[in-house]
Amino acid sequence: FFVVASELEGQSDHARAARALVQSIAQAGHEIANHSFSHPYDLARWERKRAAHEIGRAHALIGDVLGRAPVGFRAPGYDISAAMLDALARRGYLYDSSIFPAPGYYAAKAVVMAALWATGKRSGAVMTNPRALWAPTEPYRLDGDRPWRRGQFPLIELPIAVTPFLRIPVIGTNLAVAPAPLRSHWLARMRRRAFFNLELHGLDVLDAEQDGVPSELALRQRDLRVP
């Protein structure tokens, strides 16, 4: 579970509930990892000191809640930088899971962001480094300056799942909304691989009716209407 640590800070009822939830997840045997403090989509563009502070703040909060330091990281928006990797290595992290080598996702994101811009609407998302689209799809040791390449950096990269050849994203949202035959085909392809990093957001495992999701949101998010 990759945690946005700002949810854990403070003495509000929300923060207390979030800390209790994270502790219960860990006690059930799951790993809690760092997903930054405040989830800034442009974190990979921040200068070294500021990026290190954002990562370090989350690192400290998660460590306080669990009684042990996290060793894994996922960047907001799938965008990792040399400055971020340096901050992780200095804190003894073992792996990063931010690289999403999916050209189709990148193209769709560009179209949506352009459409929003054309209609005067603002998007919080940013475009990732396009060189990451052709990164290895299996786990690899990172190059600390060029995360999309193999190297000798202390961290291992765990790329988010894509299909062979076409590199179609195999993530929660795609699996939820794809027609059943296509979903079965993707999963059959992934079962043949040694490593399957299935990325899910909380939204992907909610049931609109059973989990009390507002109907307005369920109408906008097709995957919420999947039981």
Side-chain angles (χ1 to χ4, degrees):
F1 287 75
F2 294 88
V3 174
V4 177
S6 59
E7 301 288 332
L8 310 176
E9 187 177 55
Q11 297 304 317
S12 67
D13 290 344
H14 174 86
R16 288 194 183 97
R19 290 195 292 270
L21 177 60
V22 165
Q23 288 167 347
S24 70
I25 291 170
Q27 288 164 4
H30 302 290
E31 181 179 351
I32 304 297
N34 185 338
H35 194 33
S36 79
F37 174 76
S38 60
H39 204 277
Y41 280 107
D42 60 345
L43 180 57
R45 291 161 175 73
W46 290 12
E47 54 88 19
R48 189 172 297 268
K49 186 175 180 180
R50 187 183 178 200
H53 177 72
E54 171 75 16
I55 289 169
R57 195 172 176 187
H59 179 81
L61 268 168
I62 293 169
D64 286 346
V65 170
L66 296 181
R68 61 183 181 277
V71 297
F73 181 80
R74 174 166 290 154
Y78 314 111
D79 206 4
I80 192 78
S81 68
M84 294 161 68
L85 288 173
D86 180 66
L88 296 170
R90 289 175 183 273
R91 290 169 174 80
Y93 278 64
L94 300 179
Y95 71 90
D96 172 70
S97 185
S98 304
I99 295 292
F100 190 17
Y105 170 84
Y106 185 91
K109 185 177 180 180
V111 169
V112 170
M113 290 179 66
L116 289 172
W117 178 83
T119 56
K121 297 177 182 178
R122 185 178 178 180
S123 170
V126 297
M127 297 304 295
T128 59
N129 190 320
R131 286 174 286 191
L133 301 177
W134 304 109
T137 60
E138 298 290 339
Y140 62 97
R141 189 170 294 279
L142 287 156
D143 180 318
D145 295 319
R146 296 166 293 183
W148 56 88
R149 294 184 59 175
R150 299 180 189 274
Q152 297 301 317
F153 200 68
L155 276 74
I156 299 293
E157 179 63 35
L158 306 179
I160 293 165
V162 295
T163 62
F165 307 116
L166 293 179
R167 297 193 171 210
I168 297 167
V170 185
I171 60 176
T173 304
N174 269 20
L175 293 175
V177 302
L182 187 56
R183 178 169 60 246
S184 297
H185 173 71
W186 289 340
L187 291 174
R189 297 298 300 271
M190 299 314 296
R191 286 192 192 98
R192 299 189 193 119
R193 309 191 76 171
F195 177 74
F196 181 18
N197 185 7
L198 173 59
E199 185 235 29
L200 300 163
H201 282 90
L203 197 69
D204 298 321
V205 292
L206 286 175
D207 181 292
E209 184 176 343
Q210 293 183 10
D211 295 313
V213 175
S215 59
E216 295 85 356
L217 181 56
L219 287 172
R220 292 178 64 89
Q221 291 287 145
R222 180 182 169 190
D223 42 337
L224 281 173
R225 301 194 293 275
V226 178

